[in-house]
Amino acid sequence: MTEDNAAVAEKNWYSEETATFGDRLAGAREAMGLSQKDLAQRLGVRTKVIQGWEEDLKEPRANRLQMLAGMLNVSLMWLLTGEGDGIEAPDARSAMSAESAALLPEIRQIRTEMGDLADRLGRLESRLRLALTSEAA
């Protein structure tokens, strides 16, 4: 990676193109020196909920987003998009290579597809439960 590319990567480390919501949440939590368990206790949720958010498997509701931004001392916009007041990027030594960064869009797409499939599966299970209930009646 050239110096110019490294500077751009460092500047945009938490941008929407480079990082996910979960990446920004984990980075902000770590910058505050909190463990997932600590943050979960402060928010009144289970540690597994924080893990799901950080792994981009689930998304917090609007009221939790606002609480997260306040607790982590970042703007709500930064937490969602990487724009605005947030935390400093990690030092350039740990900056992601261009090859690694190129994998992120595909990973993000797969996560979206997994979420869509999980929603579809939930709807099908609900329909099956209704069908079984009506057959039993």
Side-chain angles (χ1 to χ4, degrees):
M1 187 181 308
T2 67
E3 285 184 38
D4 289 340
N5 288 345
V8 169
E10 183 173 339
K11 181 179 181 201
N12 297 324
W13 181 266
Y14 289 109
S15 72
E16 198 163 10
E17 295 81 32
T18 306
T20 65
F21 165 79
D23 296 333
R24 287 185 291 276
L25 175 59
R29 176 185 55 74
E30 290 168 359
M32 292 295 291
L34 297 172
S35 68
Q36 287 180 337
K37 183 178 178 182
D38 295 334
L39 183 58
Q41 288 175 339
R42 288 186 182 192
L43 276 174
V45 298
R46 295 181 178 170
T47 304
K48 195 168 191 112
V49 171
I50 302 295
Q51 290 170 343
W53 293 345
E54 289 186 1
E55 293 171 6
D56 295 303
L57 299 174
K58 298 184 182 217
E59 296 176 354
R61 293 184 182 150
N63 63 332
R64 295 282 191 215
L65 278 169
Q66 191 65 43
M67 291 172 67
L68 281 168
M71 286 180 181
L72 299 174
N73 199 28
V74 297
S75 72
L76 182 58
M77 185 59 83
W78 181 86
L79 202 51
L80 292 171
T81 67
E83 301 281 326
D85 295 331
I87 62 171
E88 294 295 317
D91 65 19
R93 284 175 280 130
S94 64
M96 188 180 309
S97 72
E99 183 179 339
S100 297
L103 296 173
L104 288 175
E106 187 174 355
I107 290 171
R108 220 173 268 116
Q109 180 183 359
I110 291 170
R111 282 186 179 148
T112 300
E113 291 170 4
M114 286 173 51
D116 292 345
L117 287 172
D119 291 344
R120 184 176 170 199
L121 180 60
R123 288 190 302 273
L124 287 171
E125 287 175 339
S126 295
R127 287 174 52 197
L128 178 60
R129 267 191 237 102
L130 285 172
L132 292 173
T133 303
S134 65
E135 289 174 7

PDB file of all heavy atoms in Angstrom, residues 49-64:
ATOM      1  N   VAL A  49     -26.365 -10.150  23.070  1.00  0.00           N
ATOM      2  CA  VAL A  49     -26.951  -9.096  22.233  1.00  0.00           C
ATOM      3  C   VAL A  49     -25.837  -8.209  21.679  1.00  0.00           C
ATOM      4  O   VAL A  49     -25.808  -7.898  20.485  1.00  0.00           O
ATOM      5  CB  VAL A  49     -27.972  -8.264  23.036  1.00  0.00           C
ATOM      6  CG1 VAL A  49     -28.415  -7.039  22.263  1.00  0.00           C
ATOM      7  CG2 VAL A  49     -29.170  -9.129  23.415  1.00  0.00           C
ATOM      8  N   ILE A  50     -24.900  -7.818  22.539  1.00  0.00           N
ATOM      9  CA  ILE A  50     -23.767  -6.995  22.103  1.00  0.00           C
ATOM     10  C   ILE A  50     -22.954  -7.763  21.065  1.00  0.00           C
ATOM     11  O   ILE A  50     -22.552  -7.211  20.039  1.00  0.00           O
ATOM     12  CB  ILE A  50     -22.873  -6.582  23.287  1.00  0.00           C
ATOM     13  CG1 ILE A  50     -23.680  -5.801  24.348  1.00  0.00           C
ATOM     14  CG2 ILE A  50     -21.663  -5.790  22.817  1.00  0.00           C
ATOM     15  CD1 ILE A  50     -24.226  -4.478  23.893  1.00  0.00           C
ATOM     16  N   GLN A  51     -22.720  -9.038  21.312  1.00  0.00           N
ATOM     17  CA  GLN A  51     -21.978  -9.868  20.356  1.00  0.00           C
ATOM     18  C   GLN A  51     -22.675  -9.879  18.999  1.00  0.00           C
ATOM     19  O   GLN A  51     -22.031  -9.744  17.959  1.00  0.00           O
ATOM     20  CB  GLN A  51     -21.839 -11.302  20.880  1.00  0.00           C
ATOM     21  CG  GLN A  51     -20.924 -11.438  22.058  1.00  0.00           C
ATOM     22  CD  GLN A  51     -20.989 -12.822  22.702  1.00  0.00           C
ATOM     23  OE1 GLN A  51     -21.922 -13.589  22.489  1.00  0.00           O
ATOM     24  NE2 GLN A  51     -19.991 -13.115  23.529  1.00  0.00           N
ATOM     25  N   GLY A  52     -23.976 -10.041  19.002  1.00  0.00           N
ATOM     26  CA  GLY A  52     -24.746 -10.043  17.756  1.00  0.00           C
ATOM     27  C   GLY A  52     -24.632  -8.732  17.007  1.00  0.00           C
ATOM     28  O   GLY A  52     -24.498  -8.705  15.781  1.00  0.00           O
ATOM     29  N   TRP A  53     -24.658  -7.613  17.746  1.00  0.00           N
ATOM     30  CA  TRP A  53     -24.511  -6.299  17.110  1.00  0.00           C
ATOM     31  C   TRP A  53     -23.124  -6.144  16.513  1.00  0.00           C
ATOM     32  O   TRP A  53     -22.970  -5.671  15.399  1.00  0.00           O
ATOM     33  CB  TRP A  53     -24.759  -5.179  18.108  1.00  0.00           C
ATOM     34  CG  TRP A  53     -26.172  -5.077  18.614  1.00  0.00           C
ATOM     35  CD1 TRP A  53     -27.295  -5.662  18.081  1.00  0.00           C
ATOM     36  CD2 TRP A  53     -26.602  -4.354  19.758  1.00  0.00           C
ATOM     37  NE1 TRP A  53     -28.397  -5.339  18.846  1.00  0.00           N
ATOM     38  CE2 TRP A  53     -28.005  -4.533  19.878  1.00  0.00           C
ATOM     39  CE3 TRP A  53     -25.962  -3.583  20.714  1.00  0.00           C
ATOM     40  CZ2 TRP A  53     -28.759  -3.947  20.890  1.00  0.00           C
ATOM     41  CZ3 TRP A  53     -26.705  -2.994  21.719  1.00  0.00           C
ATOM     42  CH2 TRP A  53     -28.096  -3.177  21.799  1.00  0.00           C
ATOM     43  N   GLU A  54     -22.108  -6.536  17.277  1.00  0.00           N
ATOM     44  CA  GLU A  54     -20.731  -6.372  16.808  1.00  0.00           C
ATOM     45  C   GLU A  54     -20.399  -7.300  15.642  1.00  0.00           C
ATOM     46  O   GLU A  54     -19.532  -7.002  14.838  1.00  0.00           O
ATOM     47  CB  GLU A  54     -19.732  -6.564  17.955  1.00  0.00           C
ATOM     48  CG  GLU A  54     -19.786  -5.411  18.942  1.00  0.00           C
ATOM     49  CD  GLU A  54     -18.718  -5.480  20.022  1.00  0.00           C
ATOM     50  OE1 GLU A  54     -17.893  -6.421  20.023  1.00  0.00           O
ATOM     51  OE2 GLU A  54     -18.713  -4.569  20.872  1.00  0.00           O
ATOM     52  N   GLU A  55     -21.088  -8.409  15.552  1.00  0.00           N
ATOM     53  CA  GLU A  55     -20.875  -9.341  14.443  1.00  0.00           C
ATOM     54  C   GLU A  55     -21.829  -9.052  13.290  1.00  0.00           C
ATOM     55  O   GLU A  55     -21.883  -9.798  12.318  1.00  0.00           O
ATOM     56  CB  GLU A  55     -21.051 -10.775  14.938  1.00  0.00           C
ATOM     57  CG  GLU A  55     -19.971 -11.184  15.928  1.00  0.00           C
ATOM     58  CD  GLU A  55     -20.234 -12.529  16.594  1.00  0.00           C
ATOM     59  OE1 GLU A  55     -21.204 -13.225  16.211  1.00  0.00           O
ATOM     60  OE2 GLU A  55     -19.474 -12.875  17.515  1.00  0.00           O
ATOM     61  N   ASP A  56     -22.588  -7.959  13.408  1.00  0.00           N
ATOM     62  CA  ASP A  56     -23.551  -7.537  12.384  1.00  0.00           C
ATOM     63  C   ASP A  56     -24.586  -8.606  12.078  1.00  0.00           C
ATOM     64  O   ASP A  56     -25.072  -8.719  10.955  1.00  0.00           O
ATOM     65  CB  ASP A  56     -22.832  -7.098  11.098  1.00  0.00           C
ATOM     66  CG  ASP A  56     -21.980  -5.867  11.328  1.00  0.00           C
ATOM     67  OD1 ASP A  56     -22.533  -4.839  11.768  1.00  0.00           O
ATOM     68  OD2 ASP A  56     -20.767  -5.933  11.071  1.00  0.00           O
ATOM     69  N   LEU A  57     -24.939  -9.377  13.086  1.00  0.00           N
ATOM     70  CA  LEU A  57     -25.978 -10.385  12.930  1.00  0.00           C
ATOM     71  C   LEU A  57     -27.338  -9.823  13.300  1.00  0.00           C
ATOM     72  O   LEU A  57     -28.370 -10.333  12.865  1.00  0.00           O
ATOM     73  CB  LEU A  57     -25.669 -11.613  13.788  1.00  0.00           C
ATOM     74  CG  LEU A  57     -24.363 -12.328  13.456  1.00  0.00           C
ATOM     75  CD1 LEU A  57     -24.089 -13.441  14.446  1.00  0.00           C
ATOM     76  CD2 LEU A  57     -24.404 -12.860  12.036  1.00  0.00           C
ATOM     77  N   LYS A  58     -27.322  -8.792  14.142  1.00  0.00           N
ATOM     78  CA  LYS A  58     -28.546  -8.126  14.592  1.00  0.00           C
ATOM     79  C   LYS A  58     -28.277  -6.637  14.627  1.00  0.00           C
ATOM     80  O   LYS A  58     -27.125  -6.206  14.655  1.00  0.00           O
ATOM     81  CB  LYS A  58     -28.951  -8.614  15.986  1.00  0.00           C
ATOM     82  CG  LYS A  58     -29.269 -10.083  16.031  1.00  0.00           C
ATOM     83  CD  LYS A  58     -29.753 -10.498  17.383  1.00  0.00           C
ATOM     84  CE  LYS A  58     -29.999 -12.001  17.339  1.00  0.00           C
ATOM     85  NZ  LYS A  58     -31.118 -12.418  18.069  1.00  0.00           N
ATOM     86  N   GLU A  59     -29.355  -5.865  14.665  1.00  0.00           N
ATOM     87  CA  GLU A  59     -29.231  -4.412  14.751  1.00  0.00           C
ATOM     88  C   GLU A  59     -30.013  -3.916  15.955  1.00  0.00           C
ATOM     89  O   GLU A  59     -31.120  -4.379  16.211  1.00  0.00           O
ATOM     90  CB  GLU A  59     -29.770  -3.761  13.483  1.00  0.00           C
ATOM     91  CG  GLU A  59     -28.977  -4.121  12.246  1.00  0.00           C
ATOM     92  CD  GLU A  59     -29.582  -3.537  10.980  1.00  0.00           C
ATOM     93  OE1 GLU A  59     -30.685  -2.951  11.043  1.00  0.00           O
ATOM     94  OE2 GLU A  59     -28.952  -3.679   9.931  1.00  0.00           O
ATOM     95  N   PRO A  60     -29.447  -2.957  16.677  1.00  0.00           N
ATOM     96  CA  PRO A  60     -30.174  -2.417  17.832  1.00  0.00           C
ATOM     97  C   PRO A  60     -31.339  -1.534  17.394  1.00  0.00           C
ATOM     98  O   PRO A  60     -31.333  -0.971  16.300  1.00  0.00           O
ATOM     99  CB  PRO A  60     -29.112  -1.594  18.568  1.00  0.00           C
ATOM    100  CG  PRO A  60     -28.078  -1.281  17.548  1.00  0.00           C
ATOM    101  CD  PRO A  60     -28.115  -2.381  16.541  1.00  0.00           C
ATOM    102  N   ARG A  61     -32.305  -1.415  18.274  1.00  0.00           N
ATOM    103  CA  ARG A  61     -33.425  -0.507  18.030  1.00  0.00           C
ATOM    104  C   ARG A  61     -32.937   0.929  18.193  1.00  0.00           C
ATOM    105  O   ARG A  61     -31.880   1.186  18.755  1.00  0.00           O
ATOM    106  CB  ARG A  61     -34.547  -0.787  19.019  1.00  0.00           C
ATOM    107  CG  ARG A  61     -35.188  -2.137  18.800  1.00  0.00           C
ATOM    108  CD  ARG A  61     -36.339  -2.332  19.735  1.00  0.00           C
ATOM    109  NE  ARG A  61     -36.917  -3.652  19.532  1.00  0.00           N
ATOM    110  CZ  ARG A  61     -37.497  -4.339  20.483  1.00  0.00           C
ATOM    111  NH1 ARG A  61     -37.590  -3.853  21.703  1.00  0.00           N
ATOM    112  NH2 ARG A  61     -37.999  -5.529  20.217  1.00  0.00           N
ATOM    113  N   ALA A  62     -33.741   1.863  17.730  1.00  0.00           N
ATOM    114  CA  ALA A  62     -33.360   3.282  17.731  1.00  0.00           C
ATOM    115  C   ALA A  62     -33.012   3.787  19.132  1.00  0.00           C
ATOM    116  O   ALA A  62     -32.025   4.511  19.301  1.00  0.00           O
ATOM    117  CB  ALA A  62     -34.478   4.125  17.129  1.00  0.00           C
ATOM    118  N   ASN A  63     -33.790   3.403  20.135  1.00  0.00           N
ATOM    119  CA  ASN A  63     -33.499   3.891  21.488  1.00  0.00           C
ATOM    120  C   ASN A  63     -32.165   3.355  22.001  1.00  0.00           C
ATOM    121  O   ASN A  63     -31.427   4.067  22.682  1.00  0.00           O
ATOM    122  CB  ASN A  63     -34.641   3.547  22.454  1.00  0.00           C
ATOM    123  CG  ASN A  63     -34.856   2.048  22.630  1.00  0.00           C
ATOM    124  OD1 ASN A  63     -34.573   1.250  21.736  1.00  0.00           O
ATOM    125  ND2 ASN A  63     -35.383   1.670  23.781  1.00  0.00           N
ATOM    126  N   ARG A  64     -31.829   2.144  21.654  1.00  0.00           N
ATOM    127  CA  ARG A  64     -30.540   1.573  22.062  1.00  0.00           C
ATOM    128  C   ARG A  64     -29.391   2.240  21.308  1.00  0.00           C
ATOM    129  O   ARG A  64     -28.318   2.441  21.862  1.00  0.00           O
ATOM    130  CB  ARG A  64     -30.505   0.066  21.809  1.00  0.00           C
ATOM    131  CG  ARG A  64     -31.482  -0.716  22.638  1.00  0.00           C
ATOM    132  CD  ARG A  64     -31.011  -0.906  24.041  1.00  0.00           C
ATOM    133  NE  ARG A  64     -31.873  -1.875  24.686  1.00  0.00           N
ATOM    134  CZ  ARG A  64     -32.206  -1.805  25.957  1.00  0.00           C
ATOM    135  NH1 ARG A  64     -31.741  -0.843  26.715  1.00  0.00           N
ATOM    136  NH2 ARG A  64     -32.984  -2.716  26.479  1.00  0.00           N
TER     137      ARG A  64
END
